[in-house]
């Protein structure tokens, strides 16, 4: 194939890829997703998962040809034997030899085992990417839900500001207040509208993060159908630690990397076994009898060229074994730390939901009623509205951080149901 043909093939392949991508984007209409559906889609089609799948196939391809006992192709040697003195062209002789090497020391089986360990390691790394994609989708879905709630709270604040401004105008028309009251109401309404715009942008960003986690087109409409609830309690750390140590994907990856290094050591050791070869040939000239040649050759292991790789592999295996111990201890600390954060945020959320929020809502109702009846000035109304907005924001912050801590526990343990 010429360079021009190769270039044209690349252009055609790239064009087909673009067409397929555009067709997929066109077929992907608005979607309604539960949290479980979002996690499943992210685990299946997140960009990092797709690329990890390619790496797995690449690792699996290492097994192709790994078990061949011939380290190299057979070799054929042919030479001519001209007579240097007193001969003619018809007196020219010839010789031919065919030889091949074999590896009888078990190196091919060791290479197959090493290839299998590469595949096993790639499978474990694929699992890590899937769990990471799940956590990213979990976090984006949660933040998008809370952003929806923030938008609703901001709209409620705007409606309150519009109601207060309207009442201020009515009071000013009736001579019960001055311009300062209306100006203050307009200022608070402007702040509420600005806050609403910021929260709507935040909601857009989190939904886009969710699209990215699931590799959805940028213009795909996404509707979140799982209701936003308070996170439920999780088992104590002493119960979670055994699960984390046994099922954590990164620990499994370290174990499989140790297995791979052991397989590599075995392969390097078996490759030190001398290669054995056999050869056949013929030697003939018109001036001497034709003779056949059959023989066996053995490689002389004078210099072992894999001593350096073998020493480095052993050192890497020792380091990975130490890494496994250190990582296991770190994971135990991570489980306890994330569990403590989660419980603290749940307590904070409970206090804000049960005590602070109802009190702030009741205070605003009483103050607004008193202001309309002339017992309070607008400054009390603005102060009560700000207090309510602050409590609502604090509650949503606590809800968000509690869920993020819950996701952190999910990652620390290696998988909990949402």
């Amino acid at each position: 194939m010429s360079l021009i043909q190769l270039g044209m093939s690349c252009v055609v392949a790239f064009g087909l890829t673009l067409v397929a991508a555009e067709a997929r984007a066109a077929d992907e209409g608005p979607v309604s997703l539960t949290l479980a559906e979002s996690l499943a889609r992210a685990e299946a089609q997140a960009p990092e998962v797709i690329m990890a799948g390619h790496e797995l196939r690449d690792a699996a391809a290492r097994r192709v040809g790994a078990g061949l006992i011939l380290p190299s192709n057979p070799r054929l040697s042919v030479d001519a034997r001209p007579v240097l003195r007193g001969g003619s062209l018809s007196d020219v002789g010839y010789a031919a030899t065919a030889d091949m090497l074999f590896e009888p020391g078990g190196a091919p089986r060791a290479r197959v085992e090493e290839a299998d360990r590469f595949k096993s390691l790639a499978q474990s790394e694929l699992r890590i990417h899937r769990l990471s994609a799940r956590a990213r989708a979990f976090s984006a879905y949660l933040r998008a839900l809370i952003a929806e709630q923030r938008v609703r709270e901001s709209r409620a604040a705007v409606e309150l500001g519009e109601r207060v401004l309207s009442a201020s105008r009515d009071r000013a028309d009736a001579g019960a207040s001055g311009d300062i009251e209306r100006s203050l109401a307009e200022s608070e309404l402007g702040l509420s509208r600005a806050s609403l715009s910021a929260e709507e942008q935040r909601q857009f960003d989190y939904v886009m993060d969710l699209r990215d986690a699931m590799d959805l087109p940028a213009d795909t409409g996404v509707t979140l159908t799982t209701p936003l609830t308070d996170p439920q309690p999780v088992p104590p750390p002493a119960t979670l630690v055994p699960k984390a140590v046994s099922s954590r994907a990164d620990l499994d990856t370290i174990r499989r990397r140790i297995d791979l290094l052991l397989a590599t050591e075995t392969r390097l050791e078996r490759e030190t076994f001398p290669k054995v070869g056999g050869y056949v040939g013929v030697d003939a000239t018109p001036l001497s009898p034709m003779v056949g040649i059959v023989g066996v050759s053995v490689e002389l292991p004078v210099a072992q060229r894999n001593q350096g790789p073998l020493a480095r592999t052993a050192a890497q295996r020792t380091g990975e074994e130490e890494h496994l111990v250190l990582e296991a201890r770190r994971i135990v600390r991570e489980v306890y730390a994330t569990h403590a954060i989660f419980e603290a945020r749940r307590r904070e959320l409970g206090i804000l939901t049960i005590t602070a929020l109802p009190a702030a809502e009741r205070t605003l109702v009483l103050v607004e009623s008193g202001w309309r009846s002339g017992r309070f000035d607008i400054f009390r109304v603005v102060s009560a509205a700000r207090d309510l907005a602050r409590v609502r924001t604090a509650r949503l912050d606590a809800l968000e951080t509690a869920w993020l801590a819950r996701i952190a526990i999910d990652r620390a343990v290696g998988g909990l149901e949402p």
Side-chain angles (χ1 to χ4, degrees):
M1 180 181 293
S2 67
L3 290 177
I4 295 177
Q5 291 174 326
L6 180 61
M8 291 298 295
S9 299
C10 292
V11 170
V12 171
F14 181 69
L16 292 176
T17 302
L18 289 179
V19 170
E22 291 175 357
R24 178 176 176 270
D27 293 339
E28 192 75 63
V31 292
S32 297
L33 296 170
T34 64
L35 176 58
E37 290 170 344
S38 298
L39 300 186
R41 290 182 68 132
E43 289 180 12
Q45 61 190 51
E48 60 267 32
V49 173
I50 298 299
M51 296 310 301
H54 287 293
E55 292 175 2
L56 174 59
R57 286 186 285 275
D58 176 71
R62 288 174 174 268
R63 205 178 194 279
V64 177
L68 293 177
I69 64 173
L70 298 178
S72 60
N73 290 325
R75 185 175 59 179
L76 175 65
S77 301
V78 179
D79 62 81
R81 306 277 178 95
V83 179
L84 298 180
R85 296 178 62 184
S88 63
L89 185 62
S90 61
D91 296 326
V92 175
Y94 64 91
T97 304
D99 65 272
M100 62 184 67
L101 289 175
F102 301 90
E103 290 184 294
R109 291 192 301 273
R111 284 195 290 269
V112 171
E113 180 66 21
E114 185 182 30
D116 290 339
R117 296 305 180 200
F118 267 109
K119 180 181 177 181
S120 178
L121 177 60
Q123 288 172 334
S124 183
E125 291 174 342
L126 174 60
R127 183 184 168 209
I128 288 179
H129 285 296
R130 283 176 174 165
L131 291 174
S132 176
R134 167 193 169 95
R136 191 154 66 99
F138 200 161
S139 177
Y141 195 101
L142 162 71
R143 291 178 183 271
L145 279 178
I146 293 179
E148 285 183 7
Q149 185 65 39
R150 293 183 189 275
V151 168
R152 286 195 292 269
E153 299 289 358
S154 296
R155 286 174 179 163
V158 169
E159 292 173 359
L160 173 61
E162 291 173 345
R163 189 169 67 245
V164 171
L165 178 59
S166 177
S168 298
R169 289 171 177 167
D170 293 340
R171 286 167 54 84
D173 293 340
S177 65
D179 291 340
I180 187 173
E181 185 172 290
R182 185 171 59 185
S183 297
L184 182 58
E186 290 174 347
S187 175
E188 289 298 315
L189 178 58
L191 289 174
S192 297
R193 286 172 174 167
S195 177
L196 173 60
S197 177
E199 296 299 340
E200 288 174 341
Q201 180 61 44
R202 183 186 298 186
Q203 180 185 12
F204 175 84
D205 292 340
Y206 289 145
V207 173
M208 187 61 71
D209 290 342
L210 183 59
R211 291 191 188 97
D212 186 61
M214 298 184 295
D215 193 28
L216 293 177
D219 57 350
T220 299
V222 177
T223 302
L224 310 182
T225 59
T226 298
L228 181 62
T229 60
D230 294 349
Q232 298 300 310
V234 297
T239 304
L240 298 176
V241 164
K243 175 177 173 57
V245 174
S246 63
S247 63
R248 183 79 176 249
D250 44 0
L251 289 180
D252 181 63
T253 299
I254 297 174
R255 296 187 188 100
R256 297 193 187 196
R257 191 175 295 117
I258 292 173
D259 292 340
L260 170 60
L261 291 170
L262 284 170
T264 301
E265 284 187 66
T266 301
R267 188 259 302 171
L268 290 171
E269 290 171 353
R270 292 183 180 178
E271 285 179 346
T272 62
F273 193 89
K275 297 180 179 64
V276 177
Y279 58 92
V280 296
V282 61
D283 188 345
T285 64
L287 300 181
S288 63
M290 179 183 295
V291 297
I293 303 171
V294 178
V296 176
S297 63
V298 178
E299 182 184 49
L300 298 179
V302 177
Q304 299 297 338
R305 298 182 181 274
N306 62 357
Q307 289 180 350
L310 185 59
R312 289 194 297 271
T313 302
Q316 291 172 2
R317 176 175 56 81
T318 302
E320 290 295 336
E321 290 171 348
E322 184 67 21
H323 184 200
L324 179 62
V325 175
L326 295 174
E327 186 67 11
R329 290 204 293 262
R330 187 197 66 79
I331 286 174
V332 173
R333 294 191 295 268
E334 182 181 352
V335 171
Y336 275 87
T338 54
H339 191 279
I341 294 172
F342 175 69
E343 290 299 324
R345 294 297 177 265
R346 284 188 67 247
R347 289 194 297 270
E348 178 186 0
L349 178 61
I351 294 172
L352 290 169
T353 302
I354 298 173
T355 305
L357 183 58
E361 290 174 341
R362 185 171 61 254
T363 299
L364 178 60
V365 171
L366 295 174
V367 170
E368 185 179 359
S369 176
W371 170 66
R372 289 178 180 275
S373 63
R375 288 183 292 158
F376 301 125
D377 56 31
I378 194 173
F379 295 101
R380 294 285 294 274
V381 177
V382 170
S383 178
R386 288 176 179 174
D387 289 342
L388 177 59
R390 187 172 68 253
V391 172
R392 285 175 173 171
T393 299
R395 182 188 175 280
L396 289 176
D397 289 344
L399 180 61
E400 181 175 354
T401 54
W403 267 113
L404 291 177
R406 171 64 176 75
I407 296 171
I409 294 177
D410 183 278
R411 299 198 68 174
V413 174
L416 287 173
E417 294 301 322

